[in-house]
Amino acid sequence: MTELSDRLATLSPAKRALLEKLRGGPPIPRAPDGPAPLSAEQRRLWYVLQLAPGYPVYTVPLGLRLRGPLDVDALCDALRELVARHEMLRVAFVEQDGEPVQIVNDGAAFTPRRVEVAEDQWAESEARWQADELALSTFDLGAGETFRAVVVRVAEEEHHLLIAFHHLAADGWSAAVLLRELSALYAARAAGASADLPAPAVRFRDWAAFQQRPRDGVDADEAFWRAELHGAPHVLELPADHPRPALQSWEGFKHPFGIAPEVTEALEAAARAEGTTLYVVFAAAYALLLSRYAGAEDFLVGTLLANRPRPELADVVGFFANTVPLRMRMEGDPTLGEWIRRVHGIVADAQRHGTLPFDRIVELAEVRRDFSRPPLVQAVLTFADGPASSLAIPGVEVERIEMDSRTAIFDLTLQVERHGDTLAAALQAPETLFDEATVRRMARHLRSILAAIAADRTIPISRITLADDEEVAQVAAWSDGGAALQEDGVIHHLFGEQARERPFAAAVVHGHADVTFGELNRRANRIAHGLIAAGVRRGECVGVCMARTPALIASMLGILK
């Protein structure tokens, strides 16, 4: 028995009942040693990994630049002690009888890798290569490899600490726990002492086994999600730069961008004024961006909940985070303040029912499986604002190093992290769908929405302008006269030439169907003749309100003709 269970055994029945009520249920019992089941969240990731072998889809990298006098031996010892403290940093994932299980190893083989680069003009490039190599690496999960650490010496008083862990073993909250404990372990090692860190109250495998027990409230959770997702669209179609492949691709990129300190301060004030949190403000802004790009007023946005319902789970390293959908309904043209309050209610409801595993939510929504895209949610928001997540070493300045695994799980992911008093954000997208220029533009437009929220929350959401001053100036420059187009240089004439020269070539790809230049041109001609017969003359305006299909392209060409 653990020290905690020994102490619990001495409590009176009345005190035990009170403690269980405060803790949210009975104590989590110690699971038997040996192979343990995966948690519901781990099982979902495990099956996704079977679809993406060899990709670092769930490699979570973390880089820190350390400037100042550093005791590298103490740091490496602290990293080894960290692995010894937390079972999930040395767990193997294997299949037994067709089912995935986790087996804890002793971790004796773990050792941080130490790299020393030459102090010349290539030192920074070599250090950058080390960071990229770690971020792009995969893990041998069957051998119990879920955590890596590299200490790179760049100069006498500059080192880079590069860490990577597999998402099956830990989540963003766990990363904060690891950095906090690493700070304490390093300080103790450097002083030649032992860190006074209590052992985790429970192990992750205890929670994984406990999670399989029947729990109260499941029926209410399922009833909520059935009602919430009834009639909800299961696909959010963002206008992509490239056709969607038949099978989901995992290659991606990340575009980091900053939030100005004065905007961050104003957003925090807005959150307080609306009785909510900064996370809700970003969820509201992100939904506005997606709505404008997709042309939708009812859609789903995914988000991650910490999913640690018990206080004794706060310092446990493991993968707890659960994905839940937020149904964004934007009818009525609310003001920005009203919209933030509406999103606050949406988030609060999702959090109350957020312990139901995402796989079960997908089942309740009756999603038809489509291997070209993630199920139910294609756009996701992550917001890291949990425990303090920075490394603290006396006399050493610590700065984050941007690391990217060059993968993307969703069509678009907004990642926001709080680093002290500042916010760092990034948009992540698959390169098979989007060009980096498009995602950069999305980031600018999101900043415009955030600036509007910071400036005036009384305006209706329909009046928010996405374009910033730079884009407005660019459009004005394009519209500033110049040489007039010749009659044979306008788009419908150029299209007609292509139709004559390549009538059987694909002009428009829509879903799994191609429309040729010849067919599209014939459709446009029929529309043009119909408009002429209806009395439309050159120079008159024709309104168009259609879905994004080949018929829309044919209509536009027909009007121009």
Side-chain angles (χ1 to χ4, degrees), residues 11 15 83 128 143 188 229 232 269 363 368 443 498 516 531 533 560:
L11 297 178
K15 289 183 177 180
V83 172
R128 179 72 255 175
L229 299 177
E363 290 176 5
R368 180 177 174 270
Q498 287 294 313
T516 65
L531 291 172
L560 293 173

Side-chain angles (χ1 to χ4, degrees), residues 103-136:
I103 301 173
V104 176
N105 295 326
D106 61 14
F110 171 80
T111 184
R113 187 160 60 90
R114 297 169 68 159
V115 176
E116 187 165 334
V117 301
E119 294 187 40
D120 55 24
Q121 69 270 30
W122 307 109
E124 191 64 32
S125 297
E126 172 65 17
R128 179 72 255 175
W129 184 87
Q130 293 288 342
D132 290 342
E133 182 188 43
L134 186 63
L136 295 170

Side-chain angles (χ1 to χ4, degrees), residues 61-102:
L62 173 63
L64 300 170
R65 180 179 283 106
L66 311 177
R67 291 194 176 99
L70 181 72
D71 186 336
V72 177
D73 290 335
L75 180 61
C76 291
D77 288 343
L79 286 165
R80 279 189 284 267
E81 192 170 348
L82 200 65
V83 172
R85 280 179 55 79
H86 296 286
E87 291 186 348
M88 295 308 295
L89 302 185
R90 46 190 168 86
V91 69
F93 294 89
V94 297
E95 286 194 10
Q96 289 186 355
D97 301 324
E99 287 292 319
V101 297
Q102 44 195 340

Side-chain angles (χ1 to χ4, degrees), residues 500-516:
R500 286 189 296 273
E501 295 176 5
R502 307 169 61 212
F504 302 109
V508 175
V509 178
H510 183 248
H512 300 297
D514 296 351
V515 181
T516 65

Side-chain angles (χ1 to χ4, degrees), residues 451-471:
I453 292 173
D456 184 3
R457 299 187 305 283
T458 64
I459 63 172
I461 59 175
S462 61
R463 288 182 52 196
I464 295 176
T465 302
L466 298 191
D468 56 19
D469 293 342
E470 181 182 341
E471 288 179 297

Side-chain angles (χ1 to χ4, degrees), residues 44 322-325 356-363 375-377:
R44 174 169 58 85
N322 189 34
T323 303
V324 296
L356 194 68
F358 180 67
D359 282 354
R360 181 56 182 152
I361 296 174
V362 172
E363 290 176 5
L376 196 60
V377 293

